[in-house]
Amino acid sequence: MKDTKSNWKVLIMDKLTVKVMSYCCKMGDITAEGVSLVEDLFKRRQPLPSMDAIYFIQPTKENVVMFLSDMAGRTPLYKKAFVYFSSPVSRELIDHIKKDTTVLPRIGALSEMNLEYFTIDSQGFITDNDRALEDLFSDEENIAKLMREFPFVRYRAAKSLDPMTMTTLRDLIPTKLAAGIWNCLVKCKSIPNFPQNETCELLILDRSIDQIAPVIHEWTYDAMCHDLLNMVGNKYVHEVPGKTGNPPEKKEVLLDEHDPLWLELRHAHIADASERLHDKMTNFASKNKVAQLQHGSRDGGEISTRDLQKMIQALPQYSEQIEKLSLHVEIAGKINRIIRDQELRELGQLEQDLVFGDAGMKDVLKYFTTKEVVCRENNLRLLMIIAAIYPEKLEGEQGLNLIKLANLPPDDVNAVNNMRLLAPFSESKKVSTGGFSLKFDIHKKKRAAARKDRSGEQETWQLSRFYPIIEELVEKLSLGELSKDDYPCMNDPSPSFHGTSTAVSLIHETPVAHSMRSRRTPTWARPRGSDDGYSSDSLLRRASSNLKMGKRIFVFIAGGATRSELRVCHKLTGKLNREVVLGSTSIVDPPQFITKVKLLTANELSLDDLEI
């Protein structure tokens, strides 16, 4: 937008680029850059010959034809066109543009941006396209301009790569992605100003590394909002009082990083978030006489949503602050009611005990026989966790009895069976060397466990014991302890990078090769007012103490990432003093993941796609 000298510009986008833009900024941000009007490429538009136009569009033939028709002839719609394609443009389309001699002098810029991904927050993005990572790395010149990073490329090795077994195309996805990226990076090294030494680390995984994280109940505010409240993306719909005499109106709000309260609470345990909200509202009421009058004489009593609405009307100068507080009090209250009504605390305890090997099939049978079915989906999720840990327990008559006790319909049974077939190979017969291995505790009759307790981690809140596997993988990667057999490196790094603790400490103190990016502190760090230990503002205080951040760690999960995994990346950024960025093909909340598993076909689950 800086290329145009015009004071006000028109921004023209297509359906996909509108989505890209809406994920990363608001209309106010666009207006602040001098854009007075945002238009749809395919809608009839008013001619504005005195204004410059910025086209942010996909490089498709239809889009190029529309752009040329706007700018061709004696009376173009705009003064000059600054065209930015969201991905690499073909030579044929460039030639097509060049043929129109009336348009060429009216083009102020023509560039490729490689921006066909969607930011979830300041440390997470999704591609919404299974081939997006391959497409991104298909043009080495553009990737050299875009990334300015030369990563160590690590990937999850296919588990069945041995002479006696067969592997699936699904199992080879990380290997295939890593090979494609590495081939591109090798070519990039010949491009001027591209780093010649490694500047960061990239770990490529797929959903098979942790099949429990997408279905287990995660107890943080962010995860519970998306799990229990039927949200669409980050949109939450709630009722607000109508104008005098009118019924309540529905209002749509975004829960994102533009909301300071959301930024503070999103990674907090739901009990912690609820306490903080109550304290904030009580503190506000105690310091404001009008708020006290609206609250009434109920000293120490609960403040209701109606009380908050009265405060907004009585204190217009605080309306925005109280509206945000009122919104989150309502959300937290709704979540807590669902937790109580569905008896999720007891279920959550059983889920976590199963994962850590502290409960077994007897406990599951007791749960099914003593509890009434409050929510059938919760029974399904419990059986899917069992299918991931004990796939053999769901075979034959024993499996049929469990499913009968859970009272599942046929499509839910299909999800359980598919989850069992997706379980790591031969887990019941041998200990896998992968991140999703079975552990045995001799004190508990060798009961299988999918996780072991983290040393040095204290469980401040009940049901906060569970952690996604990537937390363990990223920590080991940072310490140079990640298995090269299970997670090979395309670069074959030297011992000076991974070998001893001394070598690792040098990464943080005097790295040999710096990123060409100018920013050396976390991109998401900004002052907010949270103190939960690993949210953005807490980390900012650490980052601002003149400590240099170590080399970035990028993690890409094909097949979808969970909100718990995104939370872990924020947490580890502070713990490791290295910015950890998570990318994936999508964000999978439990309902979406369950639907995907239900819809898996026999071909997608077969073990004979490809012989090695």
Side-chain angles (χ1 to χ4, degrees):
M1 293 188 185
K2 304 294 184 187
D3 293 338
T4 172
K5 296 177 182 178
S6 175
N7 290 330
W8 289 103
K9 287 87 68 178
V10 181
L11 176 61
I12 299 157
M13 296 182 284
D14 59 31
K15 189 175 180 180
L16 182 130
T17 53
V18 164
K19 186 178 175 183
V20 170
M21 194 69 78
S22 66
Y23 266 83
C24 61
C25 60
K26 290 193 170 185
M27 191 62 202
D29 302 318
I30 297 172
T31 305
E33 296 296 329
V35 172
S36 61
L37 187 62
V38 176
E39 296 268 39
D40 185 324
L41 178 65
F42 286 93
K43 286 187 178 177
R44 189 180 183 87
R45 285 166 275 128
Q46 177 187 353
L48 296 167
S50 64
M51 296 179 70
D52 291 339
I54 298 168
Y55 286 81
F56 178 38
I57 55 177
Q58 285 184 285
T60 65
K61 186 175 181 180
E62 295 80 8
N63 286 358
V64 169
V65 168
M66 286 298 296
F67 152 66
L68 291 175
S69 68
D70 287 351
M71 300 304 296
R74 291 186 177 182
T75 55
L77 291 185
Y78 310 107
K79 184 178 177 182
K80 266 193 177 296
F82 296 79
V83 184
Y84 300 93
F85 291 114
S86 57
S87 59
V89 58
S90 68
R91 176 58 59 188
E92 290 77 17
L93 287 179
I94 293 293
D95 292 339
H96 188 52
I97 294 170
K98 285 181 177 179
K99 286 178 185 176
D100 198 325
T101 54
T102 62
V103 172
L104 284 178
R106 296 166 183 164
I107 297 177
L110 190 68
S111 181
E112 297 170 340
M113 301 292 288
N114 284 308
L115 289 175
E116 287 188 12
Y117 59 87
F118 312 103
T119 55
I120 296 301
D121 69 11
S122 47
Q123 277 180 245
F125 68 91
I126 58 171
T127 62
D128 211 17
N129 172 5
D130 290 344
R131 292 187 57 85
L133 201 62
E134 291 176 85
D135 293 342
L136 180 63
F137 280 88
S138 61
D139 188 321
E140 59 271 7
E141 190 167 339
N142 281 304
I143 205 63
K145 293 176 185 176
L146 179 68
M147 277 192 65
R148 290 178 292 172
E149 296 268 23
F150 180 29
F152 285 100
V153 181
R154 303 286 294 270
Y155 62 96
R156 182 193 65 77
K159 295 298 178 195
S160 51
L161 288 179
D162 64 69
M164 302 304 294
T165 61
M166 305 171 84
T167 192
T168 64
L169 288 172
R170 183 185 67 247
D171 205 30
L172 286 168
I173 288 172
T175 307
K176 186 173 182 288
L177 276 175
I181 290 169
W182 178 247
N183 289 338
C184 175
L185 290 170
V186 169
K187 294 174 184 175
C188 284
K189 292 190 77 172
S190 62
I191 295 172
N193 299 320
F194 189 78
Q196 297 302 299
N197 296 311
E198 288 82 355
T199 60
C200 64
E201 295 185 83
L202 170 63
L203 178 61
I204 300 173
L205 308 167
D206 64 359
R207 191 63 266 159
S208 70
I209 57 126
D210 189 350
Q211 291 156 10
I212 297 173
V215 290
I216 196 169
H217 283 89
E218 165 81 3
W219 291 79
T220 57
Y221 187 50
D222 179 11
M224 299 216 94
C225 283
H226 289 88
D227 186 0
L228 304 180
L229 299 184
N230 298 316
M231 290 176 58
V232 178
N234 287 335
K235 293 177 184 176
Y236 174 73
V237 179
H238 69 128
E239 285 191 348
V240 295
K243 294 178 181 178
T244 309
N246 291 328
E249 300 172 354
K250 292 199 175 213
K251 183 179 179 181
E252 191 179 86
V253 293
L254 288 177
L255 302 181
D256 59 19
E257 290 184 329
H258 292 90
D259 178 349
L261 260 179
W262 173 257
L263 198 63
E264 175 186 342
L265 300 172
R266 59 182 175 174
H267 296 150
H269 190 283
I270 183 61
D272 184 22
S274 300
E275 282 192 12
R276 290 196 209 181
L277 287 167
H278 181 267
D279 290 346
K280 285 176 187 292
M281 200 62 250
T282 304
N283 185 52
F284 179 84
S286 67
K287 290 181 179 178
N288 190 288
K289 291 182 180 179
V290 179
Q292 288 175 26
L293 290 172
Q294 293 297 328
H295 183 32
S297 59
R298 295 171 294 148
D299 295 334
E302 291 294 322
I303 299 176
S304 69
T305 304
R306 186 178 294 275
D307 291 329
L308 295 170
Q309 290 164 358
K310 288 181 180 178
M311 287 184 198
I312 292 170
Q313 293 166 358
L315 302 165
Q317 68 271 36
Y318 297 115
S319 62
E320 185 177 351
Q321 179 185 351
I322 302 175
E323 274 183 10
K324 289 287 185 190
L325 203 47
S326 173
L327 170 69
H328 289 287
V329 167
E330 176 191 316
I331 291 172
K334 192 178 288 187
I335 289 171
N336 282 313
R337 283 194 297 276
I338 295 171
I339 291 170
R340 182 180 63 250
D341 293 345
Q342 296 187 11
E343 301 178 351
L344 289 182
R345 286 191 183 91
E346 188 173 344
L347 174 63
Q349 191 64 59
L350 177 57
E351 288 176 346
Q352 299 207 11
D353 286 346
L354 280 168
V355 170
F356 285 90
D358 295 334
M361 298 310 296
K362 286 183 179 179
D363 303 281
V364 175
L365 289 170
K366 181 181 177 183
Y367 177 83
F368 283 144
T369 53
T370 58
K371 288 288 179 185
E372 291 184 14
V373 179
V374 180
C375 176
R376 199 169 57 201
E377 187 184 281
N378 290 336
N379 285 359
L380 169 60
R381 288 168 70 168
L382 183 59
L383 281 186
M384 290 177 77
I385 291 170
I386 293 167
I389 306 171
Y390 304 106
E392 72 284 358
K393 300 290 185 184
L394 289 166
E395 295 175 358
E397 189 175 344
Q398 184 182 18
L400 291 174
N401 288 336
L402 261 180
I403 289 168
K404 186 177 179 181
L405 281 173
N407 194 26
L408 299 184
D411 61 333
D412 284 0
V413 175
N414 193 45
V416 174
N417 288 332
N418 286 347
M419 193 76 165
R420 179 174 59 83
L421 293 171
L422 286 169
F425 304 114
S426 304
E427 291 283 24
S428 60
K429 298 177 183 178
K430 63 180 181 179
V431 178
S432 168
T433 56
F436 192 57
S437 63
L438 297 181
K439 308 293 180 184
F440 296 96
D441 185 342
I442 57 172
H443 300 295
K444 297 198 176 182
K445 300 180 182 180
K446 297 188 176 180
R447 180 176 285 158
R451 299 288 189 281
K452 59 182 179 180
D453 284 307
R454 310 269 292 148
S455 58
E457 296 276 342
Q458 290 187 344
E459 189 180 343
T460 308
W461 297 93
Q462 188 182 16
L463 301 172
S464 59
R465 187 182 181 190
F466 177 81
Y467 61 91
I469 280 293
I470 71 160
E471 181 169 357
E472 189 176 287
L473 297 181
V474 172
E475 282 196 323
K476 286 183 177 179
L477 177 69
S478 184
L479 293 169
E481 297 173 358
L482 191 62
S483 165
K484 289 184 182 179
D485 293 328
D486 298 328
Y487 300 91
C489 181
M490 300 298 295
N491 318 52
D492 189 24
S494 63
S496 63
F497 191 85
H498 289 315
T500 64
S501 57
T502 306
V504 172
S505 67
L506 291 174
I507 298 171
H508 303 282
E509 295 169 9
T510 55
V512 176
H514 292 282
S515 163
M516 291 177 67
R517 297 176 185 269
S518 58
R519 198 192 309 269
R520 299 304 300 169
T521 56
T523 56
W524 44 263
R526 63 193 70 177
R528 284 295 182 188
S530 164
D531 54 4
D532 62 4
Y534 56 80
S535 58
S536 301
D537 57 320
S538 303
L539 292 167
L540 175 65
R541 289 193 284 272
R542 302 179 200 178
S544 62
S545 60
N546 296 323
L547 286 174
K548 283 188 176 181
M549 295 291 283
K551 295 181 180 182
R552 285 182 179 87
I553 297 174
F554 294 89
V555 181
F556 189 86
I557 305 177
T562 68
R563 295 184 190 276
S564 61
E565 288 162 342
L566 185 56
R567 170 180 57 81
V568 157
C569 290
H570 283 271
K571 174 183 176 181
L572 291 178
T573 293
K575 184 175 181 179
L576 303 176
N577 199 34
R578 301 177 67 178
E579 187 176 16
V580 183
V581 178
L582 177 67
S584 184
T585 47
S586 62
I587 284 287
V588 287
D589 295 309
Q592 290 87 355
F593 181 77
I594 291 168
T595 301
K596 282 184 177 181
V597 175
K598 283 181 183 179
L599 296 175
L600 285 174
T601 64
N603 287 337
E604 290 170 309
L605 291 165
S606 67
L607 300 179
D608 55 359
D609 292 322
L610 181 69
E611 187 171 350
I612 298 296

